[in-house]
Amino acid sequence: MTIYNLTLAELRTRLDSRELSAVEVTTAYLDRIAATNHEINSFITTCNETAMAEALAADQALAAGDIAPLTGLPIAVKDIFNTTGLPTTCASNILKNYIAPYDATAIARIKAQRAVIVGKLNMDEFAMGSSNENSAFGAVRNPWNFKHVPGGSSGGSAACIAARQAAAALGTDTGGSIRQPASHCGVVGLKPTYGRVSRYGVVAYASSLDQVGPLTRDVRDCALMLQAIAGYDPADSTSVDTPTPDYQASLTGDLKGLRIGLPQEYFIEGLDSDVRKAVAQATATYRELGAEIIEVTLPHTAYAVACYYLIATAEASSNLARYDGVRYGLRAGNAENLIDMYMQSRAAGFGTEVKRRIMLGTYALSSGYYDAYYLKAQKVRTLIRQDFLNAFEKVDTLLAPVAPTPAFALGEKVNDPMQMYLSDIYTIPANLAGTCAMSLPCGFSTEGLPIGLQLIGKPFDEVTMLRTAYAFEQATEWHKRKPEF
Ligand code: GLN
């Protein structure tokens, strides 16, 4: 038995029966990270010392019978979550030496269960990107093929699960940043409904879109992680005070009476033939499992990318105004006056893509252009949300591709931001609508790269979405494949 190949659920059984200790499990993962990170570059920080201390504490809790679902389980987190005592860089030079004085709520919740945090994961700078190439700490390589990107912005989170460097990871999804890398790396990734999980202590990118969610090896583990982080938090005013359902109990495998919608606007020109085939096969599997497949329409889909890149950049330009070299982060050394210090600090600290977005967002918000761009985008957003609500009158969940192609090659799109933005076409609408969505493995390309299936659920109905995902996983073997290296 190779410890690092076990799922969260399998590790749980072995920890509870004392077949394994948390220290053994943690050591296996830290060794795995040490042996593989030079090839994948998924970790910005590994925290061997604190991880071993947490593992010891978990073993004591296990011995005392004080066991929570995540006690002793090795988890890695995107470097966008504030973690007491460890650097939180957001993959930016401007936060390179930043150490947060508090834990994000999602971190506090997994720590309260005595999970073991093994490290902080690479990402696109400030979560802006779809390939993880916009990181001040270098690109992440796709564990299935080192010449390809892992996707982004939670590229390190997805790659570390595929590479068996942690049993589960936390990421964030503003326009697809959990689902798209999960799809490209052949793992499960879930973006909860906006308001389901607290973002307190998570570095803000576009606050009306950002959500925290898990990346795991299978659907059961995904439900386990969601259970741990979901729920109202008075410290995040957008978190919704609604009961958290029992997600494990939703994994029945039963699809009787379930209506699945195929949005016709998602099966258009530009969709790679391998992706099209894999998604069609998944649809056939669902039909065999007893679900009813219904064509639906989301008529405003074509405007989603444009709408998103106005709203997200506008919010980013405002959120990133706080990095001015005064309170924390990088400060330029030889400025002549205050304005000069702001300008030099920001010029030195931010990468090219972040600067592009700050400029785009500032422009969209400027007087004279606000109505034409930002306000218009807000109106389009409402139409997109309404499309989903109309579709959900007829179906329980939607089925779609995650990305138009499998993982593209490193360097392929870096000089063409428009092409990069267009790769988010199928993930962005769920963020604009605020609803839940997930990616799960559904096949491989002829080149051997993973392909993900997207399920989009009704707002706050992660239960039905997880039930739908689990039934597919039970009927297929895709999630069991792993990259060999
Ligand atoms: N790729 C999208 C962007 O660059 C989404 C990123 C995200 O979800 N954080 O904005």
Side-chain angles (χ1 to χ4, degrees):
M1 173 190 63
T2 308
I3 293 177
Y4 58 71
N5 282 332
L6 300 173
T7 62
L8 286 180
E10 289 164 347
L11 286 169
R12 174 82 278 130
T13 317
R14 286 165 177 77
L15 286 170
D16 290 354
S17 67
R18 300 302 147 73
E19 194 185 319
L20 289 174
S21 70
V23 166
E24 282 171 306
V25 171
T26 303
T27 306
Y29 274 97
L30 294 176
D31 289 350
R32 174 75 177 159
I33 297 167
T36 53
N37 200 47
H38 63 285
E39 289 183 296
I40 310 291
N41 197 30
S42 38
F43 283 82
I44 291 177
T45 305
T46 43
C47 33
N48 297 22
E49 262 175 49
T50 49
M52 288 312 287
E54 286 164 2
L56 274 172
D59 277 332
Q60 277 165 10
L62 283 160
D66 176 13
I67 307 173
L70 299 182
T71 304
L73 298 178
I75 294 170
V77 303
K78 187 176 183 177
D79 208 13
I80 196 169
F81 291 90
N82 279 331
T83 42
T84 318
L86 297 171
T88 298
T89 68
C90 229
S92 181
N93 279 322
I94 214 157
L95 285 178
K96 207 171 205 163
N97 299 313
Y98 175 65
I99 296 184
Y102 69 106
D103 282 327
T105 297
I107 301 297
R109 287 190 177 170
I110 63 171
K111 277 192 181 171
Q113 296 201 9
R114 291 203 182 78
V116 175
I117 296 183
V118 293
K120 308 281 303 276
L121 297 161
N122 208 339
M123 54 183 283
D124 284 299
E125 183 178 4
F126 284 104
M128 297 175 188
S130 309
S131 69
N132 217 121
E133 291 166 294
N134 302 333
S135 165
F137 296 84
V140 174
R141 279 173 286 279
N142 190 315
W144 293 90
N145 182 332
F146 294 163
K147 294 199 170 70
H148 287 252
V149 303
S153 66
S154 311
S157 304
C160 97
I161 300 306
R164 270 56 190 168
Q165 296 169 319
L170 287 181
T172 58
D173 191 313
T174 303
S177 277
I178 289 174
R179 290 160 287 156
Q180 185 253 22
S183 173
H184 286 351
C185 290
V187 303
V188 175
L190 186 146
K191 179 198 98 68
T193 308
Y194 188 79
R196 177 64 90 188
V197 179
S198 169
R199 297 100 40 88
Y200 178 69
V202 181
V203 178
Y205 163 15
S207 307
S208 76
L209 299 155
D210 300 340
Q211 245 317 273
V212 168
L215 294 99
T216 56
R217 289 184 202 149
D218 64 18
V219 175
R220 179 172 294 286
D221 283 2
C222 183
L224 194 71
M225 287 294 288
L226 181 60
Q227 200 78 52
I229 58 174
Y232 177 61
D233 175 14
D236 176 357
S237 62
T238 67
S239 92
V240 174
D241 193 359
T242 180
T244 305
D246 181 343
Y247 296 116
Q248 294 289 319
S250 72
L251 308 179
T252 58
D254 177 18
L255 295 186
K256 217 180 295 140
L258 190 88
R259 297 161 308 164
I260 297 182
L262 291 183
Q264 59 182 64
E265 292 81 2
Y266 283 50
F267 298 89
I268 48 170
E269 212 185 307
L271 180 59
D272 173 270
S273 62
D274 287 341
V275 176
R276 191 185 292 270
K277 239 182 270 163
V279 174
Q281 230 169 52
T283 312
T285 303
Y286 273 116
R287 210 174 262 124
E288 281 162 29
L289 289 171
E292 187 187 348
I293 310 291
I294 301 169
E295 275 233 342
V296 296
T297 169
L298 301 169
H300 297 93
T301 301
Y303 306 108
V305 172
C307 172
Y308 169 87
Y309 277 97
L310 285 169
I311 293 176
T313 56
E315 293 182 14
S317 74
S318 164
N319 273 327
L320 271 58
R322 75 191 69 179
Y323 305 104
D324 55 8
V326 176
R327 285 158 295 183
Y328 46 77
L330 183 87
R331 177 182 296 181
N334 47 4
E336 286 178 1
N337 54 44
L338 184 64
I339 297 291
D340 194 36
M341 194 272 280
Y342 290 155
M343 285 177 27
Q344 284 197 36
S345 301
R346 288 167 70 82
F350 289 137
T352 314
E353 182 62 24
V354 173
K355 285 177 187 160
R356 183 186 348 262
R357 296 197 186 197
I358 291 173
M359 286 192 275
L360 192 62
T362 306
Y363 182 79
L365 288 176
S366 58
S367 88
Y369 294 103
Y370 181 96
D371 288 2
Y373 294 114
Y374 183 69
L375 199 65
K376 181 76 127 313
Q378 292 288 23
K379 290 178 178 171
V380 173
R381 179 178 190 171
T382 302
L383 294 173
I384 289 170
R385 177 171 167 82
Q386 198 53 52
D387 281 353
F388 279 96
L389 298 181
N390 293 344
F392 285 134
E393 302 236 316
K394 300 186 200 82
V395 296
D396 304 297
T397 185
L398 298 167
L399 186 159
V402 179
T405 66
F408 43 90
L410 279 158
E412 190 179 322
K413 299 191 186 189
V414 274
N415 295 319
D416 192 346
M418 194 64 188
Q419 274 310 312
M420 191 75 94
Y421 296 174
L422 285 172
S423 69
D424 300 334
I425 172 95
Y426 301 128
T427 47
I428 276 173
N431 299 80
L432 289 169
T435 199
C436 56
M438 68 187 289
S439 171
L440 63 157
C442 78
F444 285 82
S445 70
T446 44
E447 268 191 274
L449 290 164
I451 296 171
L453 174 72
Q454 184 173 205
L455 298 174
I456 306 173
K458 292 181 184 173
F460 291 101
D461 192 8
E462 284 84 359
V463 161
T464 303
M465 184 172 77
L466 283 165
R467 175 160 70 94
T468 312
Y470 185 68
F472 180 80
E473 196 178 78
Q474 292 294 97
T476 56
E477 299 278 314
W478 304 116
H479 62 289
K480 294 193 178 145
R481 290 210 202 169
K482 47 183 191 296
E484 296 304 334
F485 69 94

